Amino acid sequence: RVQTARKLNLQSLKTMLEAQGVPFPPAGVFLRVFKQEELLEFWARGGGAARYQLIRSYPICAASGVPGPKRREGDLQVPEGFYLIDDFNPWSRFELSLHLNYPNASDRMLGMPGRLGGDIFIHGSCASIGCLAMTDGVIRDLYLACIAAWANGQRGIPVHIFPKRLNEAGMEALRLEYSTRPDLLAFWEGLKPGFDYFEAHRHLPRVRVAPDGRYRVTPP
């Protein structure tokens, strides 16, 4: 399947990157997801201090659940927070798949002990039970870009998953829609600094997890 992906998608992927001034293989790849907008953004950068460039925005083909983090196995939720792609599956039942490191340290502290679940992927085939499903053509683009960046030295491909764009308008919309859920609003306020930093700098912030499970975002 990887060979097929290279045959079908590699040249167009290189063209997409080069159109934004990013050589192939990229020095870094970053994926950003907005659940309510049903959108996955593919960012990449060249070497050195190069800023990330938006290569393409892809519609998410299928995703289960509602806004909010994943807290237990079987809740059908797509996670929210700051994750990494830490493995690649070229033999996936869903064309190709990119494994997320869910549960991360925050999830382990704040989720249901012993029942957090796992096996969360970005994959093809347009069917989802807690995963982010793209079309087969899109997952070929993403898979090739991620393995190229990995081979070029990037260990762990960052994936930031938000309920929606967490600018002021987005936060105000969430405050109105979820006024009876202070727990969710507090969680999203904790994600907003990560969104804001990347919007301002086009570099990735440093993300830590505090002893209470909340994210702490600082400059790199």
Side-chain angles (χ1 to χ4, degrees), residues 64-183:
S64 60
V66 296
K70 182 176 180 65
R71 290 292 182 241
R72 62 179 176 82
E73 185 177 16
D75 61 6
L76 304 183
Q77 283 288 91
V78 172
E80 287 176 17
F82 303 104
Y83 295 94
L84 298 171
I85 292 168
D86 61 359
D87 202 4
F88 307 94
N89 183 6
W91 303 283
S92 171
R93 293 184 297 123
F94 305 101
E95 185 62 17
L96 297 163
S97 62
L98 305 167
H99 183 262
L100 296 184
N101 68 329
Y102 171 88
N104 63 17
S106 175
D107 301 319
R108 290 193 294 273
M109 292 180 191
L110 299 179
M112 182 177 292
R115 292 194 57 194
L116 290 170
D119 289 337
I120 303 297
F121 294 88
I122 301 171
H123 59 63
S125 298
C126 201
S128 170
I129 306 176
C131 295
L132 291 164
M134 317 302 291
T135 66
D136 289 352
V138 170
I139 198 60
R140 287 194 290 265
D141 281 347
L142 299 177
Y143 194 95
L144 291 176
C146 289
I147 62 173
W150 191 285
N152 202 22
Q154 186 183 25
R155 288 295 180 265
I157 311 294
V159 181
H160 295 182
I161 306 176
F162 300 111
K164 66 184 306 168
R165 293 187 186 277
L166 296 184
N167 51 26
E168 289 306 317
M171 284 302 304
E172 185 57 29
L174 289 171
R175 291 184 192 109
L176 289 172
E177 186 174 356
Y178 292 93
S179 60
T180 61
R181 292 293 308 274
D183 57 324

Side-chain angles (χ1 to χ4, degrees), residues 188-206:
W188 293 328
E189 290 287 357
L191 299 186
K192 183 172 169 51
F195 173 86
D196 288 342
Y197 186 90
F198 185 78
E199 285 290 285
H201 302 286
R202 294 297 188 251
H203 288 288
L204 292 166
R206 185 176 185 180

